Amino acid sequence: MAEQNKENMMEKIVSLCKRRGFVFPTSEIYGGFANSYSYGPYGTELKNNIKKMWWKKFVQKRPDIVGMDGPILLNPKTWEASGHTEGFNDAMVDCKNCKRRYRADHLVKELTEEDMEGELERMTKTLQSGLKCPECGKSDWTEVRKMSQMFKTEMNGFDGSVYLRPETAGAIFSDFKNIVDSVRVKVPFGIAQIGKAFRNEIVARNFIFRIREFEQMEIEYFIEPETEWEPIFEKWLQDQEEFALSIGAKEEDLRRYEHPKAKLSHYSKKTIDIEYNFPFGFGELFGLAHRGDFDLMQHSKFSGQKLEYFDPVKNQWYVPHVLEPTVGLDRLILTAICAGYAEEKLENGEERIVLRFPKAVAPIKVAVFPLMKNKPELVDKAKEIFENLSENFMCEFDDNGNVGKRYRRQDEIGTPYCVTVDFESLDDDAVTVRDRDTMKQERIKIAELENYLAKKLSE
Ligand code: GAP
């Protein structure tokens, strides 16, 4: 797809998301708030469906993975141990002319040095050697400064700063001992968590791709230190890619990016991102890192607690190593919407926009319509069908406008099936079921409708 079309596509997606209640700028009545977004009714359903699918694949169906749900505010020692308090910084620079703020590493890309101070100086030099501001075209830069990505707050009864967690992983490590002591887990095993994370990003951009309050779905997968980890690492990459495909991503839009050895933290053996081809270019969707025993050792050092595992097979204690598969939920939502978005020309010359979500992802599974809203016998029957079906499926009742318009609306939110009650239904106890993708219609007996839809929705 040409770059121009891709840019245009992002605008179309943002507009669809607002128009149809998926995602809108938050606090809009106050003029918005710092590129933050709210999920509307369909966005919330979409989010819940993707969370459920992830939990099913990586917790429910995995005998070796358990879940947990830790708080956003943790003892700040957690972040000292993980290195976030000192080291979770971005390099920030302002254009003095137009006042636009940037992440310096997004402007100066060829960085090699490891230490932040060295990089700040190098970036300042490169920028001040004539690099132009992408906004105003001038080259008038401030010094590059470091800015912490940690959101600070206070807590009654606690002296000192408390932080909103910058990643969900912290609680998994600090609760490692409680989980090992209370649940019968055997290495290799994983602990999974879904929850909000907060990062004071210098620039929030690309819609919900980079935001300051977002949701992560993370797993810490503990392995025996001497084990052959490469096949396990590869399997995790494949499982993550498989998950991306299950929410609608196409294989050709996924690629792996391996972090160069020189850029890896000293404890990491390997880090690979799985990137998705968004309309604005490839961007990180999943991450997978081999983190050695760094986290458990650090938390052990800072807490004074032994964070080890007793291996009954080897009959010895050790600190397990960890593989960390992680993904941002908001980025998965954007992926599902971008991958599903299609504009189609119909045989009758009309155009439709359709979100071709996989059925498990679709926010609404079935829409139920009475053919006409001013015919009580049709409305009553449609309401009865809605009541029955909504026991098992997320349904929507719609009697607004003509049926054609209702189909277009449901196509735009990706509803796989629309059920219409018409005059014939009163005689033959059957309804018309219309398929989102083929647009074909079938006549189904009301008594068989639930089973029919259950089967179709699970295909
Ligand atoms: N515990 C490891 C960790 O947090 P990360 O690569 O910094 O690793 C994990 O973040 C995932 O969280 C990323 O792969 C990305 O999908 C998502 N993510 C990170 N920053 C984000 C942001 N500002 N907005 C939305 N999602 C973000």
Side-chain angles (χ1 to χ4, degrees):
M1 201 186 294
E3 280 311 308
Q4 190 51 42
N5 286 344
K6 281 182 153 194
E7 263 175 39
N8 197 6
M9 180 164 158
M10 205 55 211
E11 270 166 36
K12 286 176 181 174
I13 282 170
V14 173
S15 148
L16 170 70
C17 282
K18 181 162 189 227
R19 189 169 73 246
R20 289 301 185 210
F22 281 93
V23 183
F24 17 75
T26 202
S27 311
E28 219 180 5
I29 59 165
Y30 297 108
F33 184 57
N35 285 333
S36 306
Y37 295 91
S38 292
Y39 284 88
Y42 302 126
T44 306
E45 291 302 325
L46 183 60
K47 201 178 204 188
N48 287 341
N49 291 344
I50 294 177
K51 275 195 221 182
K52 261 189 270 165
M53 288 167 73
W54 186 87
W55 199 260
K56 184 170 180 186
K57 181 172 176 63
F58 293 113
V59 182
Q60 186 180 327
K61 291 177 86 172
R62 294 281 300 243
D64 56 338
I65 301 183
V66 295
M68 68 162 286
D69 185 14
I72 282 164
L73 302 173
L74 296 166
N75 188 313
K77 274 196 179 158
T78 315
W79 309 118
E80 277 176 49
S82 63
H84 282 85
T85 321
E86 264 300 301
F88 198 44
N89 300 307
D90 271 339
M92 173 170 79
V93 67
D94 295 305
C95 169
K96 287 196 212 158
N97 183 53
C98 70
K99 312 287 180 241
R100 181 98 193 242
R101 175 161 287 178
Y102 295 94
R103 243 175 80 174
D105 57 312
H106 286 167
L107 298 171
V108 185
K109 298 206 169 87
E110 74 296 353
L111 296 172
T112 49
E113 289 183 35
E114 268 284 298
D115 77 295
M116 185 85 179
E117 296 306 328
E119 283 202 348
L120 294 180
E121 241 174 72
R122 262 170 42 80
M123 284 193 274
T124 304
K125 265 197 208 142
T126 312
L127 283 161
Q128 291 181 349
S129 70
L131 219 136
K132 291 199 170 91
C133 168
E135 183 74 14
C136 69
K138 293 264 159 26
S139 179
D140 191 4
W141 301 103
T142 62
E143 299 273 305
V144 178
R145 290 100 69 205
K146 114 180 143 177
M147 198 199 94
S148 170
Q149 284 198 57
M150 302 283 277
F151 273 105
K152 228 185 243 182
T153 186
E154 289 164 14
M155 198 181 226
N156 281 332
F158 185 85
D159 270 345
S161 295
V162 171
Y163 300 93
L164 306 189
R165 63 182 178 196
E167 59 174 17
T168 55
I172 301 183
F173 291 119
S174 58
D175 288 334
F176 171 84
K177 187 170 160 27
N178 274 329
I179 291 181
V180 170
D181 289 350
S182 61
V183 184
R184 259 175 284 133
V185 281
K186 277 202 197 111
V187 163
F189 73 91
I191 305 175
Q193 187 177 207
I194 300 180
K196 288 258 171 141
F198 302 81
R199 293 184 188 175
N200 203 356
E201 299 280 359
I202 293 172
V203 193
R205 62 175 186 173
N206 287 333
F207 195 33
I208 50 172
F209 179 81
R210 188 175 303 285
I211 41 186
R212 298 189 175 96
E213 176 178 345
F214 55 101
E215 255 182 288
Q216 286 185 321
M217 308 204 281
E218 296 199 290
I219 298 168
E220 301 305 328
Y221 196 72
F222 299 97
I223 57 175
E224 202 258 311
E226 308 300 322
T227 202
E228 203 195 323
W229 58 271
E230 287 89 346
I232 313 176
F233 192 94
E234 174 58 30
K235 179 74 174 77
W236 270 112
L237 284 173
Q238 287 170 13
D239 283 351
Q240 287 175 300
E241 285 161 348
E242 205 176 271
F243 188 74
L245 299 180
S246 76
I247 61 148
K250 287 164 202 78
E251 216 164 318
E252 62 269 25
D253 286 327
L254 294 171
R255 74 176 186 196
R256 293 179 181 184
Y257 167 76
E258 178 160 0
H259 290 225
K261 288 257 173 327
K263 282 282 193 182
L264 286 182
S265 315
H266 61 92
Y267 50 80
S268 178
K269 286 204 170 89
K270 195 171 194 159
T271 298
I272 293 188
D273 295 339
I274 296 167
E275 301 182 330
Y276 179 74
N277 191 9
F278 292 101
F280 45 82
F282 275 95
E284 177 186 342
L285 185 56
F286 299 86
L288 177 63
H290 186 313
R291 297 180 58 87
D293 61 7
F294 174 77
D295 303 276
L296 289 179
M297 291 295 271
Q298 282 293 101
H299 289 290
S300 181
K301 187 169 138 197
F302 278 74
S303 65
Q305 302 277 323
K306 223 167 93 171
L307 299 180
E308 293 186 354
Y309 165 82
F310 181 74
D311 190 323
V313 181
K314 294 186 106 187
N315 197 26
Q316 71 179 56
W317 289 92
Y318 56 76
V319 178
H321 284 196
V322 73
L323 304 183
E324 182 185 66
T326 173
V327 65
L329 178 57
D330 308 85
R331 290 187 185 180
L332 281 174
I333 291 167
L334 187 56
T335 301
I337 295 174
C338 293
Y341 184 90
E343 288 170 1
E344 295 176 355
K345 198 148 196 117
L346 306 181
E347 275 171 13
N348 63 6
E350 275 179 33
E351 283 186 6
R352 73 163 182 165
I353 293 172
V354 55
L355 284 178
R356 289 178 171 273
F357 289 135
K359 291 166 191 173
V361 170
I364 302 292
K365 310 294 183 207
V366 187
V368 184
F369 314 148
L371 184 66
M372 295 168 88
K373 79 194 259 184
N374 55 0
K375 297 286 171 204
E377 58 281 33
L378 300 185
V379 173
D380 289 351
K381 191 135 212 107
K383 283 196 170 152
E384 197 186 314
I385 292 174
F386 171 84
E387 262 172 42
N388 286 339
L389 293 180
S390 57
E391 282 286 336
N392 292 311
F393 317 112
M394 194 68 201
C395 296
E396 188 165 275
F397 180 87
D398 189 4
D399 60 4
N400 263 321
N402 62 40
V403 171
K405 275 207 180 121
R406 294 180 214 162
Y407 283 158
R408 293 290 93 82
R409 216 184 128 255
Q410 296 299 331
D411 286 344
E412 279 202 325
I413 61 168
T415 306
Y417 296 102
C418 293
V419 169
T420 304
V421 175
D422 53 25
F423 289 105
E424 266 180 82
S425 309
L426 303 176
D427 297 326
D428 67 357
D429 269 326
V431 286
T432 301
V433 179
R434 184 257 197 188
D435 183 301
R436 176 195 70 196
D437 297 334
T438 61
M439 291 190 286
K440 293 218 167 86
Q441 302 188 1
E442 252 189 283
R443 202 75 190 158
I444 304 292
K445 286 277 177 211
I446 294 173
E448 289 158 18
L449 186 61
E450 194 177 327
N451 283 343
Y452 171 89
L453 290 168
K455 187 163 169 287
K456 285 281 190 186
L457 285 165
S458 65
E459 276 170 4

